[in-house]
Structures are given as C-alpha cells and as structure tokens.
Amino acid sequence: MADLVHHLARRGLEVVQQHRNDPEPTFKIPAWGAALLGMTTVVFFAASMMIRYTYAELIGTLTMIETPTATAIVRTSPDSSDPDAPHPKASESEKETLLEQELLIVKTQPITAKFRTTIAHLRAHGGFFSRFRGAHLLALYYMIYYLLCSAWFELVPQTLGFRAAVTVGISTLLCRLNATWTHVVISEPSDKRMFQRIPARSSFGKLAGPTFLNALAKQMVGLGLLELITLFGLQQYASDPSRLNELNDAQRLTVWAHSFLVLISGVLAAVFIIIPSHVALKRVQASLLPEEDESIVPFDRTFNGKVVPEILGGSGRVGMREAWKSFDWNGRIRLVKVYTKVLAMQMALFMVFVIAVTGELRIILGDRLDKVIMQQVL
C-alpha cells in the first residue's frame, strides 16, 4: 500500500511539473482547488500513519508478547443424586464421604483478540492518547535512522547491495533505541525519562544479533523480489503502465501472471520469513524489560520455563529460536488477523481518498476532467 501511494504521488508530481513547464497548459487549477487537494492529501497521509502506528505497530507488538492467562477452578460436590441429601460428616468412613471433584481450566480471552478490547485496555491504563504511546520515540528512531542512512549512502557505491548492507548495519547500531520503544509500549506508564528507559550498554550483545538477522531478512526479501521483477521485466510496466496497451492478449496475460507470482512470493516471504524474525526480535526485546516495569498485557517472562530471570540467578536471555517457538499458534493467528485487518483498513481508506479526490477534481475542473484524464493518465 505504501509503494502504491508513493507511485501515485510521484506520478502526480510529474503531471504537475509537466503542467508547469507547458507554455500553454491544457488546464489550470485555481489556488483554492490546489489548497483543497493538498488538505485532502495531508488528511489521508495522517490517517494512514495513525492506522499503521496504532493498529499495526502498537497493537501488533502487544499481540507478539501477550501470554493469555488461565484460571483453575476446583468444583466439589457430594456424590449424591438427591439434592436435599445432607453432607456427610468428617468422621464417617471414606466410602461414605466420597466426593466428586472437577478441575476446570478456564482460559481468559486475550486482550489483543479484538481491536476494541485492546484500545479500551490501553485507555484504562494510559488515558485517551494511549493509542499513540511511544510515537515520539519511534519518530526519533526513524529520524536518526534515515539521517544516518542518507549520510552513509553518499559514501558507498550506489548499488542495492551496498545500500542494503548500510541499512542492516545502522539498524543493528540502533538496536538499543528500538528496544526502548518496545519497552515503552509494552509496559505500564512510567515516570522515568526517556534516557532512563534505554537498556544498559551490556544489553547490546543480546539485541545486536536478533536485530541484525531481522534487518537482514527484510533486505534479502526485498532484493529477492526486485530480482524477480527484473527477471520478468516488469519494471518497465511499473514505470510506464501505458506500455501494456502495446501488448497482445497473450503477452498481457503473461505480464499479469508474472505480477501475480511476484505478489504471492512477497506474501509467502512476509509470512514465513519477515514476520517470524520480527516476532522473535520483539520477544527478545521484551525479555529485557526491567523487573520493576510491569507489562501492560500478560507476559510470561520465563518463555514457558525456558528462561530464568536475572533476579533469580539466571541469564534472563532468550534466543530467537526459543522466542519464536514460545509464541503459540493462537498468538500467530491473532497476529495474522491484526495485519489482515490493518490492510483492509488501509485499502478502505485509500478508496475513500480516491473517491474524495475524484469528486474534488470534478468540482474544480468540471467537464474538463475527462479530457485531462485522457491526456495525462492514458
């Protein structure tokens, strides 16, 4: 969805630039129309970012670390079919005092099972703006991340391989800051300052490996999909969709089949490579949450008994393999549902945006809109 929006935005900028360079433009957008379109675009991007942060980043992370709780209930009743029969006395023989006992295990519904319950839980613990908790930290992380990437991109050869290596290296370098964001969003509100929430320097060795592998997995999947696109020659149609009109039916069907194959490959890579590595990273980060900080959702710090906390004399460290294996199938299904719902929300928002912009252009340009579409899009 982000790539699609980026492509449409870039195409729109090209049209605007072409319109400005044309000595006799075919249409002219008034100042009020440009302001209206600009405001609509800003609102769309703001809404899209809020959906991604609250539901994909925040609730997604809580889903990754939550361990549903269970309650054991022992129900005892006398072995008698007569409801009015008196209870046997303690002095009677064992046969006369035989009791029927039932042990019931009641599993509570996970907090992250529904968006509504999760938001209500966050609001009860952190107030109305709890859905944006940690947003300033994530913004700081990405600002430093992109500044460092931009600086290093000027020093390395302009190839995808070197850029991927720089991206992985900087992600690893900032692993403690990324873990700080995770600790903030999964814990109860705290009076600690931001620098006090940053994990100790000694934790770098525990975080660097999982962060490196997660960043490497993302870059390898991205490079693999780009190679697949290049192999099929799809980049020419992505940059200029009008070239599809030059193909016959059989060639056009082949292009669509290759595009579908790339899409399926991306989905499979996300489900079986990126999501497991990302979940493992977040659970490793959560394992380093200080003992004095309570998690905002139920969280098993022992990872099914495989980790002994440092306060009890253990290492308090969990590997990526154990972190992923301890994330049960119910949690994995919940996480997939979270991402599916977020995708549906983003697609619905994008459709609303397209409808709104189309209506605004119809108001601004009137009957000239059809002519502009024929000239600029087709």
Side-chain angles (χ1 to χ4, degrees):
M1 180 59 66
D3 295 337
L4 177 60
V5 172
H6 173 74
H7 173 72
L8 293 176
R10 179 172 58 84
R11 178 58 180 159
L13 291 176
E14 291 175 354
V15 172
V16 171
Q17 187 64 33
Q18 179 181 352
H19 169 65
R20 290 179 176 178
N21 296 334
D22 190 355
E24 296 181 358
T26 56
F27 66 97
K28 182 179 180 180
I29 298 180
W32 66 268
L36 180 61
L37 292 172
M39 185 179 302
T40 303
T41 304
V42 170
V43 171
F44 165 73
F45 276 104
S48 178
M49 291 177 62
M50 286 190 293
I51 290 175
R52 175 170 180 174
Y53 182 81
T54 299
Y55 298 102
E57 299 289 347
L58 178 56
I59 296 182
T61 300
L62 294 177
T63 304
M64 295 174 196
I65 66 105
E66 182 180 11
T67 305
T69 57
T71 303
I73 300 176
V74 178
R75 187 170 64 183
T76 304
S77 61
D79 187 16
S80 174
S81 59
D82 185 4
D84 297 328
H87 288 270
K89 297 180 180 180
S91 59
E92 296 179 0
S93 63
E94 182 179 356
K95 291 183 179 181
E96 295 177 349
T97 59
L98 181 60
L99 299 178
E100 185 183 74
Q101 296 183 343
E102 294 183 31
L103 180 62
L104 302 178
I105 304 297
V106 180
K107 293 185 177 180
T108 58
Q109 185 182 38
I111 296 174
T112 56
K114 297 180 180 180
F115 284 168
R116 183 183 303 175
T117 57
T118 310
I119 295 297
H121 179 79
L122 291 175
R123 186 176 299 178
H125 287 73
F128 179 79
F129 294 101
S130 58
R131 64 173 60 199
F132 304 119
R133 62 196 333 249
H136 63 291
L137 265 177
L138 194 63
L140 175 64
Y141 170 81
Y142 278 119
M143 182 180 68
I144 297 176
Y145 172 83
Y146 285 119
L147 285 176
L148 292 177
C149 284
S150 299
W152 276 95
F153 285 165
E154 300 296 330
L155 303 177
V156 300
Q158 301 298 311
T159 62
L160 293 178
F162 279 101
R163 286 175 174 261
V166 168
T167 300
V168 173
I170 293 177
S171 297
T172 306
L173 182 65
L174 298 177
C175 63
R176 291 171 59 211
L177 184 58
N178 187 268
T180 304
W181 175 83
T182 302
H183 289 177
V184 169
V185 300
I186 70 171
S187 62
E188 294 279 359
S190 174
D191 295 331
K192 294 181 180 179
R193 297 182 181 273
M194 185 188 72
F195 67 88
Q196 295 176 318
R197 304 297 300 268
I198 299 177
R201 294 180 180 178
S202 59
S203 65
F204 180 84
K206 301 177 182 179
L207 294 169
T211 304
F212 173 83
L213 292 177
N214 178 56
L216 181 63
K218 293 179 179 179
Q219 294 301 316
M220 293 300 293
V221 168
L223 291 176
L225 292 177
L226 286 177
E227 288 295 328
L228 197 59
I229 291 174
T230 303
L231 176 65
F232 292 146
L234 299 177
Q235 69 278 5
Q236 57 181 326
Y237 305 110
S239 59
D240 186 10
S242 62
R243 300 191 63 175
L244 287 171
N245 298 328
E246 303 173 1
L247 305 178
N248 56 41
D249 293 340
Q251 292 173 329
R252 193 177 296 110
L253 181 61
T254 301
V255 171
W256 285 113
H258 288 165
S259 302
F260 181 74
L261 180 60
V262 172
L263 176 62
I264 293 299
S265 300
V267 172
L268 293 177
V271 172
F272 293 104
I273 299 178
I274 295 180
I275 289 181
S277 65
H278 187 63
V279 170
L281 171 61
K282 290 304 172 183
R283 291 177 66 82
V284 169
Q285 293 174 342
S287 70
L288 300 177
L289 183 69
E291 290 293 334
E292 63 271 15
D293 294 336
E294 293 291 336
S295 59
I296 200 169
V297 295
F299 172 54
D300 180 16
R301 293 175 182 257
T302 68
F303 292 86
N304 296 331
K306 296 181 179 180
V307 176
V308 179
E310 293 181 356
I311 193 173
L312 299 179
S315 64
R317 180 176 182 176
V318 61
M320 292 191 71
R321 181 183 179 87
E322 291 79 11
W324 170 248
K325 291 180 65 176
S326 60
F327 187 53
D328 62 15
W329 276 102
N330 291 329
R332 299 175 189 181
I333 294 175
R334 291 201 314 273
L335 183 61
V336 171
K337 288 182 178 179
V338 166
Y339 289 146
T340 302
K341 291 177 182 178
V342 171
L343 178 60
M345 294 169 68
Q346 293 282 24
M347 293 179 63
L349 178 64
F350 179 73
M351 292 178 63
V352 172
F353 171 71
V354 171
I355 294 173
V357 170
T358 303
E360 291 171 358
L361 288 174
R362 177 66 66 180
I363 295 174
I364 295 170
L365 299 178
D367 295 336
R368 292 176 295 169
L369 178 61
D370 297 331
K371 182 179 180 181
V372 170
I373 293 176
M374 294 296 296
Q375 292 179 347
Q376 302 293 341
V377 178
L378 300 181

